[in-house]
């Protein structure tokens, strides 16, 4: 392993641990808490996750501002940004599917992977279903779209 590859691995590991710790501390790995935030109609709405979302938007805004100032990342030759900025039917359909899954299960991918540390069977089932969906997309849908 080269020094650059080792530095990339270390940076990715540090960021992953920091992200997982943030998700755990904020309560994002508790599906009941997330569903309480998403359920506006019940009268038992839990707005506390608004601070988590606000913090995430703030960190992302700083990252975007830093990316625009830098010519390239510290540990790579270029930024790897999405190739398209177009909002099309596939993006909207995927967003709706993501939101529906989040609203039904109380998990999105990051918190689900972090919640694997709890060892709870529903978490494992969610992550296995998520991996199956990713494989289905990669092997069938992405190839069909060309």
């Amino acid at each position: 392993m080269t020094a650059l590859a080792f530095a990339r691995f270390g940076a990715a590991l540090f960021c992953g641990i920091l992200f997982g710790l943030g998700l755990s501390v904020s309560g994002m790995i508790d599906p009941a808490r997330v569903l309480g935030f998403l359920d506006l109609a019940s009268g038992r709405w839990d707005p506390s996750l608004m601070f988590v979302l606000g913090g995430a938007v703030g960190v992302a805004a700083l990252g975007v501002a830093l990316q625009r100032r830098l010519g390239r990342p510290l540990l790579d030759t270029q930024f790897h940004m999405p190739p398209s900025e177009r909002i099309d039917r596939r993006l909207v359909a995927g967003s709706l599917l993501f939101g529906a899954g989040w609203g039904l299960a109380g998990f999105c991918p990051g918190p689900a992977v972090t919640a694997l540390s709890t060892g709870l069977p529903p978490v494992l089932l969610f992550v296995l279903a998520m991996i199956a969906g990713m494989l289905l997309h990669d092997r069938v849908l992405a190839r069909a779209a060309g």
Side-chain angles (χ1 to χ4, degrees):
M1 182 182 276
T2 67
L4 181 59
F6 185 76
R8 286 181 183 161
F9 177 78
L13 182 64
F14 173 76
C15 290
I17 290 171
L18 186 62
F19 182 62
L21 186 62
L23 291 171
S24 297
V25 169
S26 69
M28 290 289 291
I29 65 169
D30 179 2
R33 187 159 182 210
V34 172
L35 292 174
F37 172 71
L38 295 174
D39 187 5
L40 297 171
S42 69
R44 294 173 288 155
W45 181 56
D46 177 7
S48 63
L49 292 184
M50 290 291 284
F51 294 106
V52 176
L53 295 175
V57 169
V59 169
L62 289 174
V64 169
L66 182 63
Q67 181 261 330
R68 289 184 176 165
R69 289 182 172 258
L70 296 175
R72 66 176 188 82
L74 296 175
L75 300 175
D76 205 342
T77 57
Q78 66 180 24
F79 288 103
H80 299 275
M81 305 302 285
S84 173
E85 295 181 0
R86 193 179 69 181
I87 298 173
D88 59 11
R89 197 174 358 173
R90 292 186 66 206
L91 179 63
V92 172
S95 300
L96 289 172
L97 186 60
F98 178 91
W102 195 33
L104 290 171
F107 279 128
C108 60
V113 171
T114 302
L116 281 173
S117 63
T118 64
L120 296 173
V123 175
L124 180 60
L125 181 64
F126 180 89
V127 171
L128 289 175
M130 181 177 73
I131 291 170
M134 289 175 174
L135 289 172
L136 174 68
H137 176 270
D138 184 56
R139 304 281 188 235
V140 178
L141 301 175
R143 290 183 183 180

